[in-house]
Amino acid sequence: MTVLYFAWLRQRVGAGAETVSPPPEVTTVGALMDWLAARSPGHAAAFADRGRIRAAVNQEHVKPDAPVRAGDEVAFFPPVTGG
Amino acid sequence: MSVRVQSEPFDPGAALAAFTAEAVGAGAVVSFTGHVRDEGGRLTALTLEHYPGMTEREIARWVETARERWPLIAVQVIHRTGRLTPGEPIVFVAAASAHRAAAFEAASFLIDLLKTQAPFWKLEEGAEGARWVEAREADDAAAQRWR
């Protein structure tokens, strides 16, 4: 699946996008965050404060219990500040 | 086009004139333009990051919701991305209807929902460096009142 990072998450991870293949037990957005956080110190820093992170799957806002599947586009970002 | 997310600057006056010319039959045209504030001289630039694809989809979703909820003749949202300086227009929202209540409410609804749903993130530059703007509870409250 493709994972995208925006704003300070992107800065902490050190990349705006990556392709990942999590193990089959990673079936939700929340579980994916746990799995990604272990990839590097930068990832851990990005995911340290879950309250400040929002997610989208296939370009739709979702909650942490939303499912993720192979082939999905999952994005992590801070609460939005447009307008 | 109803929804434009662009890196090019836009002129709100020209946008309103073009919108009004297209909104044939509208008795009421309401618009909102948001500008970069200089925060008392502290801010030197504002960079708007976005999520290409999702940003346009989200704005289009809320435009469609506004069309379903109010009798609108025309709606438009223009939003900048990239690096802006104080005073520059960031966002333009316009709504046209036969009568003013729908136009006022739809324009207000759209900017409130855009601020809480559309994937943009603001990076402020100032004398002490750059910092990411935090989302405001007041914006969440404004969006909630439309439920």
Side-chain angles (χ1 to χ4, degrees):
Chain A
M1 62 184 66
T2 302
V3 180
L4 306 179
Y5 304 101
F6 294 92
W8 52 257
L9 276 101
R10 176 178 51 76
Q11 290 175 327
R12 291 184 190 182
V13 167
E18 54 185 351
T19 304
V20 300
S21 298
E25 55 266 27
V26 172
T27 55
T28 65
V29 167
L32 181 61
M33 284 197 267
D34 292 336
W35 185 77
L36 288 168
R39 280 170 77 79
S40 78
H43 286 81
F47 287 106
D49 186 351
R50 301 291 170 90
R52 295 172 67 208
I53 300 172
R54 302 287 179 269
V57 175
N58 300 328
Q59 304 191 356
E60 301 278 339
H61 289 289
V62 295
K63 295 194 163 78
D65 60 357
V68 293
R69 299 176 185 85
D72 279 345
E73 176 175 295
V74 185
F76 295 105
F77 41 81
V80 303
T81 56
Chain B
M1 278 182 29
S2 287
V3 179
R4 279 166 38 191
V5 176
Q6 61 188 54
S7 56
E8 297 78 22
F10 69 90
D11 174 343
L16 181 60
F19 176 79
T20 302
E22 298 266 323
V24 179
V29 175
V30 170
S31 77
F32 165 78
T33 306
H35 294 263
V36 179
R37 286 187 299 274
D38 76 348
E39 306 294 356
R42 186 174 60 74
L43 184 144
T44 54
L46 185 72
T47 300
L48 278 154
E49 185 172 333
H50 76 298
Y51 181 169
M54 185 175 175
T55 301
E56 295 87 341
R57 266 175 73 153
E58 275 296 303
I59 299 175
R61 154 177 291 139
W62 297 109
V63 165
E64 192 49 41
T65 302
R67 284 189 194 280
E68 288 167 6
R69 191 157 161 177
W70 289 280
L72 301 175
I73 291 167
V75 187
Q76 184 169 52
V77 175
I78 304 172
H79 202 298
R80 282 289 311 277
T81 61
R83 195 165 182 272
L84 286 74
T85 49
E88 265 199 271
I90 304 168
V91 59
F92 172 83
V93 173
S97 191
H99 301 282
R100 68 187 184 283
F104 270 113
E105 287 173 24
S108 188
F109 167 83
L110 280 170
I111 183 63
D112 285 347
L113 270 296
L114 188 155
K115 277 183 145 330
T116 56
Q117 296 293 322
F120 293 100
W121 301 276
K122 287 174 177 162
L123 180 70
E124 289 184 338
E125 284 174 52
E128 307 104 39
R131 66 167 206 103
W132 293 98
V133 173
E134 303 243 333
R136 296 167 61 229
E137 283 188 28
D139 289 331
D140 274 324
Q144 288 288 328
R145 73 192 168 103
W146 293 104
R147 291 189 186 279

